[in-house]
Amino acid sequence: MHDWIADETALARLCASLAPCATIAVDTEFMRVRTYWPELALVQVATPRHLALIDPQAIASLESLRALLVAPGPRKVMHSASEDLVALGRIGARPIANLFDTQVAAAFAGLGPGIGYQRLVHALLGITLEKGETRSDWLRRPLSENQLHYAEQDVLHMPALHDALVAKLEARGMLAWCLEDCDRLARSSDEALPADPHHEFRNAWRWPIERQARLKRLAEWRERTARAIDRPRLWVFDNASAAELVLEPPADADAVRIRLASQRSFPKRAAAELAQLLSQPVLDEELALRPIPEPLRGDDERRADAVRDAIAAKATALDLPPAMLLSRRGIEALVRGHRVVELDGWRGEILADAIAAAPGRSIPRDSEARRG
């Protein structure tokens, strides 16, 4: 049975009682169908002895919850936390301190990548959960009994999952690796604009650098606009329209409105601004961008294959998914001679021999990796 928390006093009392705990299970329900940012609708927290559902729609200030989540004390246990972190970031809970993601941990435990919560509960605890409210309207009030039951189940078993996974990771000598990855996940930010948004247009690698600079400018404008009007990025205009705007710029604001009339959320009032943006000459500093990478060919492609094979062999020896050691894009970046953030920490140490298969390439050794 849960406690329903719907006022600041009760929330402060709850958070004070949770602060001394060793672990706290945390989950969120949010809506992100028609908006850029997720709208936080419910926060579930649990310990082995206590379960509470927090209604952020009813509480003016969630400061005590924010303070609890960013405090270094309790370990915060979450499952597949990336989207929950974005939702909690909207209340300032960034970064979550001492995060333990059970999906990340399950991959280190040899249970496979991307395992769902229900499967994991069944695999480790022998409990079968129903999955009946994933597309529910969590902003409506009151919540139904089915919704409340589903929300409870999403955190009820997390403390036991945490204990079972920690035992497996300690036995495999991978707990420190897991915690490092969880910390990196917690520190990832959704606030900064993407560094190279034009790289999303992978087929435009043949475009002249001046045209790629215009594409980057347009993609950055779309991102800022989507955030400002709180609508999904592709609702402002889709990628096909973006490419067309660069290749055949509209002559004026009226032409922009006509061109983008079918887009779901293009703000017509911004047509003049967009027309001006598209007509402005490219500045020298805009030309100093990272070009869209072309497909690997020749020696680079062979080096990538050699690195991929060596990483696959290392992954087999460790009983880990190869992509968990280094992603496809990470391999490509490595072969091109770019710094690969994935190789900071434990990966850089264990993959040193494998990466030697890419002649002339080196890897950063910013932190010493240890099994723990």
Side-chain angles (χ1 to χ4, degrees), residues 77-96:
V77 184
M78 306 175 74
H79 184 85
S80 187
S82 57
E83 288 192 286
D84 299 293
L85 295 176
V86 176
L88 290 168
R90 306 310 298 159
I91 65 168
R94 180 187 296 110
I96 301 289

Side-chain angles (χ1 to χ4, degrees), residues 80-208:
S80 187
S82 57
E83 288 192 286
D84 299 293
L85 295 176
V86 176
L88 290 168
R90 306 310 298 159
I91 65 168
R94 180 187 296 110
I96 301 289
N98 206 0
L99 174 68
F100 185 92
D101 189 316
T102 54
Q103 187 177 75
V104 173
F108 278 108
L111 298 172
I115 188 170
Y117 178 67
Q118 283 70 26
R119 280 184 57 205
L120 184 58
V121 169
H122 188 267
L124 292 184
L125 306 179
I127 298 171
T128 301
L129 300 179
E130 296 180 2
K131 191 73 172 176
E133 296 291 337
T134 53
R135 298 186 181 277
S136 187
D137 180 1
W138 290 100
L139 293 173
R140 74 183 181 188
R141 293 296 184 270
L143 294 175
S144 69
E145 289 300 319
N146 284 341
Q147 286 177 305
L148 293 172
H149 177 72
Y150 173 87
E152 290 175 343
Q153 295 298 309
D154 265 2
V155 288
L156 181 62
H157 306 291
M158 277 193 193
L161 284 182
H162 166 268
D163 294 347
L165 287 165
V166 166
K168 286 181 174 294
L169 296 181
E170 288 178 336
R172 287 164 65 91
M174 296 182 182
L175 179 59
W177 296 358
C178 175
L179 294 178
E180 183 182 311
D181 276 17
C182 290
D183 183 65
R184 183 179 305 207
L185 173 62
R187 293 182 182 281
S188 62
S189 173
D190 57 294
E191 291 291 338
L193 291 173
D196 298 303
H198 58 303
H199 285 198
E200 183 179 338
F201 300 78
R202 292 177 67 87
N203 292 333
W205 65 268
R206 292 188 179 87
W207 287 13

Side-chain angles (χ1 to χ4, degrees), residues 181-352:
D181 276 17
C182 290
D183 183 65
R184 183 179 305 207
L185 173 62
R187 293 182 182 281
S188 62
S189 173
D190 57 294
E191 291 291 338
L193 291 173
D196 298 303
H198 58 303
H199 285 198
E200 183 179 338
F201 300 78
R202 292 177 67 87
N203 292 333
W205 65 268
R206 292 188 179 87
W207 287 13
I209 196 68
E210 184 270 346
R211 187 170 287 171
Q212 290 192 34
R214 290 185 178 277
L215 180 61
K216 181 182 179 184
R217 178 198 292 175
L218 181 62
E220 290 174 340
W221 184 91
R222 179 176 67 177
E223 190 76 18
R224 290 193 301 269
T225 300
R227 295 180 178 201
I229 66 175
D230 197 20
R231 288 292 181 267
R233 181 178 69 248
L234 295 181
W235 285 22
V236 178
F237 48 78
D238 56 31
N239 284 353
S241 296
E244 184 182 347
L245 288 169
V246 173
L247 293 172
E248 300 178 13
D252 52 31
D254 288 339
V256 168
R257 292 188 190 95
I258 293 172
R259 183 81 64 84
L260 299 179
S262 63
Q263 303 299 306
R264 296 185 68 173
S265 294
F266 176 72
K268 295 180 180 179
R269 63 182 180 278
E273 177 187 351
L274 182 55
Q276 182 179 13
L277 182 87
L278 292 167
S279 66
Q280 289 173 345
V282 175
L283 303 176
D284 289 343
E285 53 264 35
E286 290 182 288
L287 295 174
L289 80 170
R290 289 179 58 197
I292 300 169
E294 63 180 275
L296 295 178
R297 303 175 188 278
D299 288 343
D300 281 345
E301 186 175 17
R302 285 187 284 274
R303 279 195 290 269
D305 289 340
V307 172
R308 190 176 296 109
D309 291 344
I311 289 174
K314 176 68 73 171
T316 298
L318 292 170
D319 188 26
L320 292 175
M324 195 170 180
L325 297 187
L326 194 59
S327 67
R328 175 182 61 81
R329 289 196 177 190
I331 293 172
E332 290 182 4
L334 176 74
V335 169
R336 291 187 172 100
H338 299 154
R339 178 175 179 270
V340 182
V341 176
E342 291 173 84
L343 294 176
D344 291 349
W346 65 271
R347 287 177 176 83
E349 292 295 327
I350 68 163
L351 292 179

